[in-house]
Amino acid sequence: MKKVLFASLMLISLVAFGQKPNVVILATGGTIAGKSDAATSTKYTAGQLPIEDLLTAVPGVEDFANVKGEQVVNIGSQAMNNDVWLTVAKRCNELLSKGDVDGIVITHGTDTKEATAYFLNLTVKSSKPIVFVSAMRNSTSISADGPKNLFDGIITAASPDSRDMGVLVISNDYIYNARDVTKSNTTNVATFVAPNWGPVGIAYNGKPYYYHTTLRKHTANSEFDVASLSELPKVDIVYGYSNMDASIIDNLVKKGSRGIVFAGVGNGNIYPEALEALQKARKKGVIVVRTSRTGSGRTTLDAEVNDAELEFVVADDLNAQKARVLLMLSLTKTQNWTEIQKFFFTY
Ligand code: ASP
């Protein structure tokens, strides 16, 4: 009797084993792969450990998914660039078009994770889960947060509940959508927040639980396509402040900027000299997008700036780094500012 029970249990676990989802990890570096000389030191170097070593820190994850890793680059995300964005987006599209890949985890530094995640949210043509994972404490640090985040990322990417959610970002138990999440603190593990709309769910005991989702277009429904792109339009961010020197705007235009995202004061307001420089830029065909340096809220049309007359676009609730991503992709489609404004109310 015992033997029969054992055999049945074996059979059940073998069937279960065969049905485990296949998750691919694309590793790009960051503090999660960082190392330091001392466990309590704040001095460390990001992007040191290969993906194989990161996986040894999450024993037990193989009960939830078959996991394979690929090292794309191994850098601090302060060094992230357009080439890596395009490489990762294309690789995700390639992997997710295969029947035997159920989800992707991307390990990434925290500094610019929100921009890469939003780029993929707009360029990966799949409903399968894509989850960004990072750490604020390096792998040799006391109480490193990387292993738990990586575990949560894998189980979230492996879960069918994560389909159609757009690109997700996991940190400190919470799950955010790529559009809304931002880094809010220089060193604290609870750095990620979605200041306007909050997290979409939570990873708990090996399972993601979702409570809401974004209504904005993403992934499989996005019209942006990187398949034939080998470069992206030059778009820059200018930070507004009192008494600002506006020559930076003229210089960026001279250097070939096709779009300027202006992180203005308050509701995207602009110091008079800078406003003049932006008007000149617009007359030369540069797309100007107004956002806010406040860190939350919507930048609204025609409040204190006459956008309709100046042909300026507002970023809605996107911060400057996300607005830059959307403007770069918008410029691969059109130069028309009213069309670009529509993109900002759609994505
Ligand atoms: N500078 C690091 C990076 O963005 C910080 C981190 O990962 O937390 O790669």
Side-chain angles (χ1 to χ4, degrees), residues 29-32 44 46 75-78 108-112 135-136 183:
T31 295
I32 192 166
Y44 70 98
I75 56 176
S77 75
Q78 55 270 49
H108 197 290
T110 57
D111 290 352
T112 64
M136 288 299 285
K183 185 173 183 179

Side-chain angles (χ1 to χ4, degrees), residues 47-66:
Q48 299 294 299
L49 295 183
I51 181 59
E52 296 76 28
D53 290 14
L54 295 189
L55 279 169
T56 59
V58 279
V61 79
E62 60 281 356
D63 297 343
F64 296 84
N66 303 311

Side-chain angles (χ1 to χ4, degrees), residues 302-336:
D302 300 320
E304 292 183 72
V305 178
N306 191 339
D307 296 296
E309 190 185 297
L310 299 172
E311 301 188 352
F312 287 178
V313 172
V314 289
D316 194 8
D317 59 330
L318 294 181
N319 65 22
Q321 48 275 37
K322 312 258 184 180
R324 176 171 175 267
V325 170
L326 182 53
L327 182 52
M328 288 164 104
L329 289 169
S330 301
L331 286 166
T332 66
K333 288 273 183 200
T334 180
Q335 312 298 311
N336 180 308

Side-chain angles (χ1 to χ4, degrees), residues 222-239:
S222 168
E223 63 211 273
F224 302 111
D225 192 354
V226 291
S228 60
L229 296 181
S230 54
E231 54 185 38
L232 294 166
K234 177 172 162 57
V235 171
D236 295 286
I237 296 173
V238 176
Y239 195 90

Side-chain angles (χ1 to χ4, degrees), residues 293-306:
R293 66 174 204 179
T294 58
S296 66
R298 301 173 65 233
T299 302
T300 61
L301 273 175
D302 300 320
E304 292 183 72
V305 178
N306 191 339

